[in-house]
Amino acid sequence: MNAFEYFAPTTLKEAIDILNEKGEEASILNGGTDLIVRMRDGISDPKYVVDIKKIKGMDDIRIENGRVFIGASALLNDLGNNQDIQKRYPFLSKAALSIGSKQVRNRATCIGNICNASPLAGMATPLLALNATVHVFGNYGEKDILLKDFFVFVRKTLLKHGEIVTGISFEEQACLGVFTKISRRRKVDLSTVCSTVVKKYDEYRISFGAVAPTPVRLNKTEAFLKGKMLSKDIIEKACELAMSEVSPISDIRASESYRRELVQVMLRNSLSQWY
Amino acid sequence: MKKVINFTLNGEVVEHAVDTNKTLLKMLREDFELTGAKEGCGAGECGACTVIMNEKAVNSCLVLAVEIEGASITTIEGLTLDGILDPLQESFIDNAALQCGYCTPGMIMTAKVLLNENPHPTEEEIKEGISGNLCRCTGYKKIVEAIEKVANDNEE
Amino acid sequence: MKYVGKSIKRVDGIKKVTGSLKYVDDMKFSRMLYAAVKRSPYAHARIVSINIEKAMAVKGVKDIITGDHYKKRAGLYLEDKNFLAVGKARYKGEAVAAVAAVSEDIAKEAVKLIEVEYEELTAVTNAIEAMKPGAPLVHPDLGEYKTAPIFFPKPGTNISNHYPLRKGDVENAFEEAEVVIDNKFYVPHVHHVTIETHTAVAQMDLDGSCTVWASCQSPFAVRQALSEAFDIPLNKMRVLSPAVGGGFGSKAGTTLEGIIIPLAKRNPGRPIKLTYSREDEFENTYVRQGMHATIKTAVNKNGKIIGLKNEFVWDGGAYNEYGVNIAKAAGYACAGPYDIDNIWTDSYCVYTNHPVGGPYRGFGMSELQFGIEQNLDIVAEKIGISPIEIRLINGLKPGGATATGEIVKISGLMECIEQVVEDINFEEKTESSKPNKVRGKGIACGWKAPSMPNNAASSAIIKLNEDGTAHLLVSVQDIGQGSDTVMTQIAAEMLSISPEKITIKTGDTDHTPYEWQTVASRMTYSTGRAVVEACKDVIDQLLELSQIKLGLYKRDLELRDGYVVSKIYPDRKVAIGDLALGLTFEDGSGIHGPIIGRGSFIPPNIRDADKKTGLGEHPVAYWTYGAQGVEVEVDLDTGQTKVLKVASCFDVGKVMNPQLLEAQVEGAIVQGMGTALFEELILKDGVLLNPSFVDYKIPTADDMPEMVIKFVENPEENGPYGARGVAEVAMVPSAPAIANAIYDATGIRLRTIPLTAERIFEKMKVLKRGRRGSCKNN
């Protein structure tokens, strides 16, 4: 790991100023579980590291004004073990606790997982299905980006240099949801495929990870299911549609065809819970 | 590039100038010669470097030393400050829960936090709780039993 | 017995649980330099030029060496390797240059600045292809390499060793057989994955002495190899192995030590340290060899196998200095633990441009038995008998003959099979509570002999102290298996003093006595016997002195709880501590001097097999037999397998420490399960695609099955208290038993590992299509 200058600003303004002043050679450090490994491997080589964890309020998890807010530095374990989240959005909690090991989740953050924009980001599918909004702070002030628009490509988001994600939020909603993760090893492994299916009345929101360059919502399948009573036949048709809607790749973790097959298995098992 | 940090290390208040690009693991091993925490992968996958930071188990290879400003760090060496083995350490020996010993310090630190947070874990909770600590020698059975034994003693 | 056979606590326990034990990477020396290695990005390439100018200019860089600086070849059984590539690189990651600098970061920075020009050569990445005439040669100079006379390289080819075995009349057997079955299996490269990576420090002084601190299993073998490679006499070459964070074979032989010695030579007085990263570890240390097996079986309908025709092709990777012996070991074991009269086997070790193959727990037996044990199930099904019956019919019993024709004196195999069948409740099929999951049971046997030179020697020294305590000096390395504890137990039992009164010292070629290697599951047996002999020597000296002191016959004296005691008059005794420095008379004069016991051992009468036929009456010290039964649950939706339960039973001769032995077998089962379900070094054109824990998964605690561990004890003739080794063989049946159980559950037989969810899923799809197809035909 090469030498760098370390900053630990205590306000957002201060953080933004450092990022703007130092330019592209400055990196944001949040949980660090990804950045530090990338720095060790020489993939990232920042000259300036801006630690945002000392900024006040960044690690909040709160429910207010009809929205659930998860701060940028909120740990995966804190999210996963949050009693309100566990009670109302158990699938979100399950997703948080499915990532890495306990030690990793004591450092890694929900927002870090989102900002990395890995195709298989564990936090992405539940938050996509909850229609979450990403809150961004820049020298212009605050702005909101819908999570579904936030992901651009593998490891690319709409976030520009000089911007900091302060948190993510979603509207309080009465819904049911199922998070599923298939991995080679049951614990401490990346998803071969992951998914969340949320049911709100007769509306189904379906998101998948590791089946496209970014985590995705299956819009066509959702449209097909909307307003329908679930039956064996309907579920099968939805599964077929879902398989055609994804575009996974083959890599050393799984083949394209296995991933595609898992999509229908996971969707079928998820929907079957309500049938 | 060095930065002065203040923190508590095994109960002692420390002021230390550390290279910004050193991980907590490297700092503990190189600057403080606390070599109980081991590097098994340097990427947060094996848990051999586990230490306790503010009552939480962390992979010290995934924490920059500069990040521990104000924090309290406990390493395996910090469990025997009074010259007496921790019940977990006793139990690991009694139950043959160690072989080559390389994963052992990290495993014990993870177990320590596990039992602090949940004094009566189920077998499943123990397995889940230590799944971030790889051991190639034991097959884990005796490790789980060693932790269970201490948990059972917590009953009294 | 007081100490042997008891669950004595580990003598190294406290140092390990407190983190105070110093492993090599924990050691710090003054004026230490750090090494880093420049590696070949190609699997096979001629090195055209190396430019170190820019790298040397980096501040803090002290020295850089390349293969040109030291061209002498080295190797354990076949001298085919250079520690730094000379002329060409033969695998991706091979060391081509090494830097010594004042810090690790600087050394790594300098490595990046070394410029190497390569001319890429065609890589040989399949062992079967590599054997064909015209295949590019990995070692064109093979004919010039020095080799031990029991190995047979074929110059002008990629074959580094051929072990043939010809027994009986195979052609006739196949003609007479009622059923003939042909099967092929493949086992990929896997890695040991010790949690401690390889690490070593070397220092040379101007007096010509060389000291190496290495995490190694075999200080004496390392000393021998390095002494020969670097022309350092043995009295000047010292190897210390202070602690080993897991071995499994990966730290037998030499790996990175040879990279730093030339640097140490050029920088006298400065210790040079090299520690491998996890990525280095996967790419640049020994891996388990890949193996292609062809097994052809001639069997009668009553279940008796009458003929076997096998071919084993070992993918030995770029250097086969150690791997040639695995091909030989597989030759000895080519029929598995089964009694078959007519056998034709060819076992080949083959060079490829893959990572370097070498010893891995099992030394070929896991790879071999993976095929043999599945083949047995296939054969059994074909002739309509159960997997248990075919094993009981053909399994080796006392009086039977192994593949080499050795008559079996002791075999608890039948007892082990029966025990496992009972513990796994083999005949009773259970059902999953979940509709999408199916369960199945499988069984497999395993056997293994120590694979070592016939005269592999062990020794032990015991020094008695004046307070009645003792020091036990041996050079078996405790790599986790518990040898420190078991050796202490043996000495405690023999000398009748408590284990706490014995301090064991190991791992220093200057100060602890000779041990060939800590490998081959031979330590309890071989070093244990040396300890017994050393104790006998101590006892003899004590009794000599006591008979003078007590005025009683030697034959009437014995050691009891720290005293030499008269068997007839128990109140007549002398503390052994009082005799530790010799016998002192009333006038203050003394005789004899300090009591030091010496014990040596070589397993008796092991002789080479015949070169042409591969047959031999006693080519190995002993065979250890056993079996495992497994229950699995397979998820039909995803193909994922969970191993629910494993029942294991081995004939160990004597259980020396029940708790440690159980722990060792549990570890072996989970390691075997890892290779069955997840583990594989994924190689493409010689490039390793998964050199990290992100994509090379070993089991976690969550994957652990329920385990029932049993032993039978048919004593080994020359073993201490009748013990024989079991360390490696304990993982041998695990993978094939899981494969057989998956077949039982799903009807799917994959002839390769790992049995990943995806592979099972794909097979299930084919199977479903097949069933649909046959319905249509009806």
Side-chain angles (χ1 to χ4, degrees):
Chain A
M1 201 186 296
N2 289 327
F4 55 82
E5 198 175 339
Y6 172 81
F7 299 91
T10 51
T11 67
L12 269 175
K13 173 80 175 59
E14 207 187 324
I16 293 295
D17 288 347
I18 300 168
L19 286 174
N20 284 326
E21 186 197 321
K22 303 299 180 189
E24 300 276 331
E25 289 192 315
S27 275
I28 295 172
L29 171 68
N30 195 8
T33 54
D34 190 69
L35 180 68
I36 293 171
V37 178
R38 291 170 73 81
M39 285 164 66
R40 179 195 80 126
D41 293 344
I43 301 166
S44 292
D45 188 16
K47 294 273 174 294
Y48 310 95
V49 167
V50 185
D51 187 347
I52 59 169
K53 290 190 290 295
K54 309 268 171 177
I55 299 171
K56 285 207 179 61
M58 287 288 261
D59 57 356
D60 271 6
I61 298 170
R62 58 176 190 266
I63 301 176
E64 62 183 23
N65 305 328
R67 288 191 80 81
V68 178
F69 177 85
I70 302 161
S73 300
L75 301 176
L76 287 173
N77 270 341
D78 290 344
L79 177 62
N81 294 322
N82 182 292
Q83 299 217 335
D84 289 326
I85 302 287
Q86 278 187 345
K87 211 186 299 165
R88 297 190 218 182
Y89 310 99
F91 56 94
L92 178 62
S93 160
K94 189 179 169 192
L97 297 179
S98 80
I99 297 169
S101 64
K102 194 164 182 189
Q103 292 98 310
V104 166
R105 295 192 301 272
N106 276 336
R107 297 297 294 171
T109 62
C110 169
I111 299 301
N113 184 265
I114 294 292
C115 288
N116 274 334
S118 160
L120 47 83
M123 290 317 300
T125 66
L127 289 167
L128 274 173
L130 286 164
N131 290 331
T133 301
V134 180
H135 305 291
V136 179
F137 188 87
N139 52 12
Y140 47 78
E142 279 191 49
K143 96 178 165 191
D144 289 349
I145 303 173
L146 290 178
L147 182 61
K148 72 179 173 60
D149 302 327
F150 187 67
F151 299 120
V152 176
F153 194 63
V154 180
R155 299 193 78 90
K156 277 205 176 62
T157 67
L158 283 180
L159 202 66
K160 293 190 201 70
H161 186 76
E163 292 179 333
I164 293 174
V165 173
T166 56
I168 195 163
S169 71
F170 56 87
E171 197 185 334
E172 269 268 71
Q173 49 198 289
C175 62
L176 299 169
V178 181
F179 172 79
T180 314
K181 171 174 172 173
I182 303 286
S183 50
R184 296 159 298 185
R185 189 175 71 187
R186 281 194 305 274
K187 300 290 176 196
V188 197
D189 195 2
L190 301 170
S191 298
T192 304
V193 178
C194 56
S195 72
T196 299
V197 181
V198 160
K199 171 181 159 68
K200 197 178 170 191
Y201 310 116
D202 61 352
E203 176 195 350
Y204 297 88
R205 300 189 210 129
I206 302 164
S207 54
F208 270 85
V211 297
T214 68
V216 287
R217 283 276 291 265
L218 303 191
N219 297 322
K220 285 185 204 158
T221 312
E222 288 182 15
F224 166 77
L225 282 171
K226 189 163 167 66
K228 291 204 173 66
M229 277 275 282
L230 290 185
S231 69
K232 248 195 174 141
D233 190 44
I234 294 288
I235 292 175
E236 282 315 307
K237 282 198 174 119
C239 289
E240 297 244 330
L241 198 53
M243 275 176 82
S244 69
E245 206 176 342
V246 295
S247 52
I249 55 160
S250 291
D251 59 22
I252 55 169
R253 288 166 205 152
S255 69
E256 180 266 338
S257 73
Y258 182 54
R259 285 198 167 101
R260 205 181 282 276
E261 296 275 3
L262 285 182
V263 167
Q264 61 150 331
V265 167
M266 292 160 77
L267 183 59
R268 183 181 301 116
N269 287 345
S270 301
L271 290 175
S272 297
Q273 310 219 355
W274 303 306
Y275 158 64
Chain B
M1 210 169 293
K2 284 198 195 279
K3 188 172 163 55
V4 176
I5 52 172
N6 291 279
F7 62 102
T8 306
L9 178 56
N10 294 331
E12 247 177 73
V13 177
V14 176
E15 185 187 80
H16 179 61
V18 68
D19 287 322
T20 53
N21 60 344
K22 246 185 200 180
T23 60
L24 172 57
L25 174 63
K26 276 220 148 82
M27 182 193 78
L28 290 170
R29 289 177 58 83
E30 293 175 3
D31 302 358
F32 292 90
E33 299 182 10
L34 292 167
T35 54
K38 311 291 184 197
E39 177 168 318
C41 68
E45 295 277 345
C46 77
C49 65
T50 303
V51 301
I52 303 175
M53 177 173 172
N54 295 338
E55 292 170 12
K56 284 177 176 167
V58 299
N59 293 310
S60 60
C61 74
L62 289 187
V63 179
L64 293 173
V66 288
E67 290 182 90
I68 66 163
E69 172 68 40
S72 171
I73 306 291
T74 307
T75 69
I76 187 80
E77 291 87 352
L79 290 193
T80 47
L81 292 177
D82 52 3
I84 302 166
L85 294 184
D86 186 272
L88 269 167
Q89 293 172 314
E90 291 274 11
S91 186
F92 267 59
I93 297 173
D94 289 348
N95 292 286
L98 64 133
Q99 290 185 27
C100 84
Y102 213 73
C103 75
T104 308
M107 193 70 84
I108 289 175
M109 296 314 273
T110 300
K112 184 82 193 156
V113 178
L114 176 77
L115 292 183
N116 282 347
E117 290 174 352
N118 179 4
H120 309 297
T122 63
E123 187 187 331
E124 284 314 307
E125 284 169 337
I126 294 174
K127 286 186 187 172
E128 152 89 44
I130 62 168
S131 59
N133 292 76
L134 297 178
C135 169
R136 190 58 145 174
C137 298
T138 63
Y140 302 104
K141 187 175 172 197
K142 300 222 173 324
I143 294 176
V144 173
E145 287 169 357
I147 299 169
E148 269 176 340
K149 281 268 167 59
V150 178
N152 290 339
D153 291 346
N154 282 344
E155 305 277 339
E156 285 114 48
Chain C
M1 278 187 289
K2 244 179 148 167
Y3 307 114
V4 163
K6 301 289 184 316
S7 293
I8 304 290
K9 304 296 166 224
R10 290 190 77 98
V11 301
D12 51 357
I14 291 177
K15 279 193 175 142
K16 284 179 174 174
V17 298
T18 55
S20 72
L21 182 62
K22 294 288 176 219
Y23 296 80
V24 175
D25 192 49
D26 301 336
M27 298 170 89
K28 226 181 190 179
F29 297 89
S30 54
R31 301 186 72 223
M32 189 155 84
L33 296 174
Y34 298 83
V37 181
K38 180 79 177 177
R39 301 190 174 280
S40 167
Y42 301 108
H44 199 190
R46 195 172 72 81
I47 299 165
V48 178
S49 67
I50 302 177
N51 186 344
I52 60 170
E53 238 170 78
K54 283 183 198 158
M56 269 313 285
V58 175
K59 197 172 161 238
V61 170
K62 293 290 170 197
D63 198 9
I64 299 177
I65 52 158
T66 69
D68 283 343
H69 288 99
Y70 209 87
K71 293 187 176 174
K72 196 171 169 189
R73 277 189 298 269
L76 185 67
Y77 296 114
L78 168 66
E79 290 187 358
D80 67 356
K81 79 171 176 187
N82 292 97
F83 293 103
L84 286 165
V86 175
K88 70 174 183 170
R90 294 180 174 88
Y91 69 96
K92 197 246 163 196
E94 182 163 5
V96 295
V99 178
V102 294
S103 81
E104 211 177 337
D105 284 343
I106 292 172
K108 281 181 184 159
E109 195 51 45
V111 159
K112 286 187 207 152
L113 297 174
I114 297 175
E115 296 162 334
V116 188
E117 194 189 326
Y118 297 94
E119 179 194 324
E120 209 181 337
L121 302 169
T122 309
V124 186
T125 56
N126 177 301
I128 305 264
E129 295 299 316
M131 283 176 72
K132 291 181 179 162
L137 294 183
V138 180
H139 290 266
D141 303 329
L142 180 57
E144 294 164 26
Y145 295 176
K146 212 171 110 188
T147 180
I150 44 169
F151 299 104
F152 308 99
K154 291 195 182 314
T157 76
N158 284 314
I159 298 169
S160 59
N161 188 29
H162 173 209
Y163 185 93
L165 188 136
R166 313 284 182 249
K167 180 175 150 185
D169 188 344
V170 176
E171 292 210 356
N172 186 47
F174 275 85
E175 265 170 36
E176 283 185 357
E178 289 164 346
V179 181
V180 170
I181 294 159
D182 215 341
N183 277 306
K184 280 188 195 311
F185 300 91
Y186 173 65
V187 177
H189 298 274
V190 296
H191 200 271
H192 312 68
V193 191
T194 57
I195 304 302
E196 178 202 37
T197 59
H198 281 64
T199 177
V201 180
Q203 178 179 335
M204 277 206 82
D205 290 291
L206 285 175
D207 64 0
S209 66
C210 177
T211 310
V212 174
W213 294 262
S215 171
C216 70
Q217 297 178 215
S218 313
F220 281 89
V222 169
R223 182 180 74 152
Q224 173 65 24
L226 296 178
S227 152
E228 220 170 292
F230 297 101
D231 298 308
I232 302 165
L234 290 174
N235 68 320
K236 296 278 188 187
M237 180 83 225
R238 181 182 180 194
V239 178
L240 298 100
S241 183
V244 182
F248 313 114
S250 76
K251 292 167 186 165
T254 51
T255 46
L256 76 181
E257 301 89 348
I259 297 174
I260 49 175
I261 287 179
L263 285 169
K265 237 180 176 174
R266 289 153 56 99
N267 297 274
R270 302 208 69 168
I272 313 233
K273 185 184 206 177
L274 179 58
T275 298
Y276 275 0
S277 67
R278 180 55 60 188
E279 290 74 11
D280 281 334
E281 185 75 11
F282 276 116
E283 265 191 341
N284 305 306
T285 63
Y286 289 127
V287 302
R288 191 167 88 179
Q289 298 180 323
M291 201 269 270
H292 304 263
T294 308
I295 302 174
K296 202 171 170 187
T297 315
V299 60
N300 282 338
K301 283 188 174 150
N302 61 10
K304 179 71 193 150
I305 297 171
I306 57 171
L308 201 59
K309 209 171 171 193
N310 296 332
E311 186 184 73
F312 307 125
V313 177
W314 299 86
D315 184 338
Y319 299 98
N320 293 180
E321 47 112 7
Y322 211 138
V324 288
N325 197 31
I326 298 169
K328 174 171 166 263
Y332 286 175
C334 64
Y338 303 103
D339 197 339
I340 299 166
D341 289 338
N342 307 293
I343 304 174
W344 179 289
T345 288
D346 291 294
S347 181
Y348 298 97
C349 193
V350 179
Y351 286 119
T352 63
N353 295 111
H354 277 160
V356 179
Y360 180 117
R361 191 177 206 171
F363 209 68
M365 298 307 112
S366 294
E367 301 90 302
L368 207 61
Q369 289 296 103
F370 179 72
I372 287 173
E373 294 296 318
Q374 290 194 77
N375 181 61
L376 269 191
D377 272 29
I378 296 168
V379 169
E381 190 179 23
K382 188 106 176 197
I383 59 175
I385 63 173
S386 84
I388 308 301
E389 280 172 287
I390 195 152
R391 285 171 175 82
L392 292 176
I393 292 166
N394 295 286
L396 276 170
K397 304 158 191 85
T402 69
T404 69
E406 179 180 10
I407 302 302
V408 175
K409 280 196 218 154
I410 316 153
S411 161
L413 184 62
M414 297 301 120
E415 294 155 81
C416 291
I417 293 172
E418 279 157 16
Q419 185 65 55
V420 158
V421 166
E422 189 186 320
D423 288 341
I424 201 78
N425 206 349
F426 193 83
E427 305 300 341
E428 193 192 318
K429 301 295 164 197
T430 62
E431 275 184 19
S432 174
S433 56
K434 306 222 171 72
N436 61 330
K437 289 183 177 171
V438 290
R439 290 186 177 181
K441 289 177 183 173
I443 189 171
C445 298
W447 74 332
K448 189 183 179 298
S451 198
M452 58 187 183
N454 300 346
N455 60 352
S458 297
S459 56
I461 291 170
I462 292 171
K463 301 190 291 178
L464 208 56
N465 298 318
E466 44 278 46
D467 60 355
T469 63
H471 279 87
L472 169 60
L473 278 57
V474 287
S475 296
V476 48
Q477 293 304 110
D478 198 318
I479 58 177
Q481 83 282 44
S483 56
D484 279 3
T485 308
V486 169
M487 295 305 141
T488 302
Q489 283 177 265
I490 293 173
E493 188 68 47
M494 288 293 296
L495 299 176
S496 191
I497 54 176
S498 76
E500 296 84 58
K501 291 197 166 173
I502 298 170
T503 294
I504 184 166
K505 292 283 167 190
T506 64
D508 178 349
T509 56
D510 271 12
H511 297 142
T512 57
Y514 181 85
E515 179 63 64
W516 173 64
Q517 288 214 63
T518 302
V519 297
S521 313
R522 59 182 277 282
M523 312 324 297
T524 299
Y525 169 82
S526 208
T527 321
R529 258 303 291 278
V531 172
V532 166
E533 298 306 318
C535 289
K536 282 186 189 162
D537 190 15
V538 167
I539 294 166
D540 192 58
Q541 293 175 49
L542 282 171
L543 298 192
E544 279 294 335
L545 297 178
S546 301
Q547 67 176 357
I548 302 170
K549 170 97 180 171
L550 299 173
L552 295 166
Y553 283 119
K554 203 173 160 182
R555 60 166 189 261
D556 295 330
L557 299 173
E558 65 178 7
L559 266 64
R560 207 184 296 159
D561 297 326
Y563 289 88
V564 179
V565 183
S566 162
K567 293 182 203 167
I568 304 157
Y569 316 105
D571 54 329
R572 306 215 20 211
K573 58 184 183 180
V574 53
I576 59 170
D578 292 344
L579 300 171
L581 303 182
L583 177 59
T584 307
F585 295 106
E586 280 179 12
D587 63 0
S589 66
I591 57 165
H592 188 282
I595 290 183
I596 297 173
R598 184 193 64 91
S600 293
F601 181 70
I602 284 180
N605 303 322
I606 307 178
R607 294 176 301 278
D608 289 338
D610 183 84
K611 282 175 185 156
K612 285 205 184 80
T613 64
L615 301 180
E617 283 172 14
H618 189 46
V620 295
Y622 54 82
W623 290 96
T624 303
Y625 302 85
Q628 283 171 357
V630 166
E631 182 171 22
V632 301
E633 184 171 272
V634 181
D635 184 326
L636 296 173
D637 284 344
T638 61
Q640 286 170 311
T641 299
K642 181 165 171 54
V643 178
L644 301 173
K645 182 176 174 179
V646 179
S648 171
C649 188
F650 285 92
D651 183 356
V652 297
K654 169 74 192 167
V655 177
M656 304 297 276
N657 183 320
Q659 195 188 31
L660 293 192
L661 184 56
E662 206 178 87
Q664 189 175 36
V665 174
E666 287 161 6
I669 289 169
V670 173
Q671 191 169 5
M673 185 187 79
T675 64
L677 299 184
F678 321 119
E679 296 180 38
E680 177 182 16
L681 292 168
I682 304 170
L683 289 154
K684 188 167 188 287
D685 303 327
V687 177
L688 181 58
L689 302 180
N690 57 335
S692 79
F693 283 148
V694 176
D695 287 311
Y696 189 102
K697 292 296 183 194
I698 68 168
T700 71
D702 178 70
D703 299 302
M704 175 186 86
E706 179 193 346
M707 291 182 268
V708 181
I709 312 295
K710 300 266 175 78
F711 302 99
V712 296
E713 297 180 297
N714 294 306
E716 185 63 38
E717 196 182 346
N718 292 301
Y721 302 95
R724 69 176 71 82
V726 70
E728 298 169 272
V729 68
M731 91 173 258
V732 170
S734 308
I738 290 169
N740 285 339
I742 289 175
Y743 178 80
D744 185 48
T746 63
I748 288 167
R749 186 167 296 285
L750 290 161
R751 281 146 208 263
T752 186
I753 40 178
L755 307 162
T756 62
E758 175 166 358
R759 282 179 174 156
I760 291 172
F761 183 89
E762 290 300 327
K763 270 269 185 178
M764 282 192 304
K765 250 170 53 184
V766 174
L767 214 64
K768 275 183 209 157
R769 268 204 297 273
R771 281 195 193 131
R772 227 179 283 154
S774 64
C775 287
K776 266 183 207 160
N777 291 342
N778 290 345

